[in-house]
Amino acid sequence: MDQLNLKHLYYFWMISREGSIARASEVLDLAPQTLSGQLATFEASLDGLLFQRERRRLILTDLGRTVLGYADQIFALTGELNDTLRLAPSDRPLTLSAGVSASIHKLIAYYLLQPAMVLPRPVQLNCQTSGIEELMLRLKRKELDVVLADRIPQLDEQGSFTVHPLAGSTISLYASPEQAVTLRTGFPGSLNGAPLLANATDAPYFDKLMNWFSLQGVRMNVVARIDDSALIKVFGRQGLGVFAAPTAIRDEVCRQYEVEEIASINEVKDELFAITRGKNPAHEGVRAICHGNVSFQPLLRASKKSSNSN
C-alpha cells in the first residue's frame, strides 16, 4: 500500500464505532452495499481482514484493533482541527514551540515564558528541554519558535539568529537552616571545607561561582554533582551540602524546600537570553517573551553588549 486512503479509513472507523455496517450506513447516508464494498476494498489494500464475521456481528481482528487505535487518534485530531477552524482567526489558539536549556531553573523558565501565556489570544505551549546545541539545531530546522538559554551559543550562520537579552538574577547560596546559621558567620571564609552540591548541567553561573570562590580564597568540598535542580535542593534540605540558585526565586526555594539563604553574591549573575530566527520575530508569543516584563524580582537586564547577534 503506497498511500493510505483516509476515506476508507474513515468508513472503517465509523463501522467500528456504530458496531455494524447497517448502522454506519445510516449515519454516513450510504447504501449498506456501497459501504460493504468500500470496506472490502480497504481490507484488500491492507492485505488482511479487519473484522471477523460471526453471524450478524462484526468482531475486530488483531489487525483491526491496531488500525482502530490509529484511527481513533487521527479522527480525534481532525475533530479538534474542525473546532479550531470554526473559530474566528483572532480566537484560534496560537501554537508556541519553545526550547528551554536544561541548565535553566524551571521556575525561572516559567517566569520567562509567562508573557506569552497571558496574551489575549489563547496559546498552546509546546515546551522542550534539552542541551543548547540540540535546541539550536531544532530552531534552525524550524521545529522551535524560540530558545531560552543562559549562554550565547556559537552561531555559525551570520544574521540567521538574533539573541535577545532577558531578565536575569544574582546568585544566592542556600543550605538547611542549621547549616545556614553556622555559615553566615564569617562569610565567605566560613565556606572553606563546607560540602557543596554542584550543578552538573553546565550552567554558566556555576562556573562564575567557582571563579568567585577562587578569588575569595575559598575551597569548598564538592560532595555531589547533580544534573537535576530539584534533586539538588532535596539534598540540600537534608543537610548534605550547600547549593546555588538564582536570588530571584529565593522565597520560593526557601518555602518549598525548607532551606535558608546563606548570602546573595552580587558579583555572580545568571544571565538569560531568548534566541530567535531573524531580528524581528513575527510570532506574537515570541515577541511577548523577547519584549515582555517578567514578574520576578530583582531584575537585572542581561548585558546589552553581549547580546549582539552574530
Side-chain angles (χ1 to χ4, degrees), residues 93-105:
L94 181 67
T95 300
L96 173 62
S97 295
V100 179
S101 177
S103 54
I104 295 179
H105 193 284

Side-chain angles (χ1 to χ4, degrees), residues 14-32:
M14 289 298 296
I15 294 169
S16 301
R17 288 183 60 188
E18 297 301 323
S20 73
I21 290 177
R23 284 197 292 269
S25 66
E26 293 176 3
V27 174
L28 295 169
D29 195 21
L30 292 172

Side-chain angles (χ1 to χ4, degrees), residues 86-278:
R86 290 191 190 101
L87 298 172
S90 60
D91 293 331
R92 292 174 187 167
L94 181 67
T95 300
L96 173 62
S97 295
V100 179
S101 177
S103 54
I104 295 179
H105 193 284
K106 301 308 177 285
L107 187 57
I108 291 290
Y110 164 76
Y111 284 124
L112 298 180
L113 291 168
Q114 189 181 40
M117 303 305 296
V118 296
L119 291 172
R121 184 176 176 182
V123 174
Q124 292 181 343
L125 176 64
N126 174 24
C127 192
Q128 302 176 29
T129 301
S130 188
I132 186 63
E133 290 77 14
E134 174 64 22
L135 294 177
M136 289 302 300
L137 181 59
R138 295 180 187 176
L139 183 65
K140 179 180 178 181
R141 292 173 177 168
K142 299 185 179 181
E143 297 172 4
L144 296 174
D145 300 308
V146 63
V147 168
L148 301 182
D150 50 7
R151 64 183 175 87
I152 302 176
Q154 292 293 327
L155 302 178
D156 297 331
E157 300 179 29
Q158 297 289 328
S160 296
F161 302 102
T162 300
V163 180
H164 307 264
L166 302 177
S169 171
T170 57
I171 294 297
S172 288
L173 297 177
Y174 304 84
S176 65
E178 297 79 9
Q179 287 180 315
V181 169
T182 301
L183 294 174
R184 286 192 196 105
T185 303
F187 181 86
S190 59
L191 297 175
N192 262 313
L196 176 65
L197 301 171
N199 191 316
T201 56
D202 193 28
Y205 77 76
F206 191 79
D207 291 335
K208 298 174 186 176
L209 179 63
M210 298 305 289
N211 289 335
W212 185 84
F213 285 153
S214 179
L215 290 174
Q216 303 304 313
V218 170
R219 294 196 62 178
M220 298 190 70
N221 177 28
V222 177
V223 295
R225 296 186 181 275
I226 304 171
D227 65 359
D228 184 280
S229 61
L231 186 58
I232 288 178
K233 295 171 182 58
V234 172
F235 275 49
R237 179 177 62 189
Q238 299 301 320
L240 297 180
V242 175
F243 65 89
T247 308
I249 55 173
R250 170 180 55 207
D251 292 347
E252 179 65 19
V253 169
C254 292
R255 181 195 64 80
Q256 183 174 351
Y257 295 97
E258 300 175 352
V259 295
E260 292 185 6
E261 182 188 48
I262 299 170
S264 176
I265 304 172
N266 294 330
E267 295 85 352
V268 180
K269 297 180 177 66
D270 187 21
E271 295 181 316
L272 301 164
F273 310 92
I275 305 173
T276 62
R277 293 185 301 273

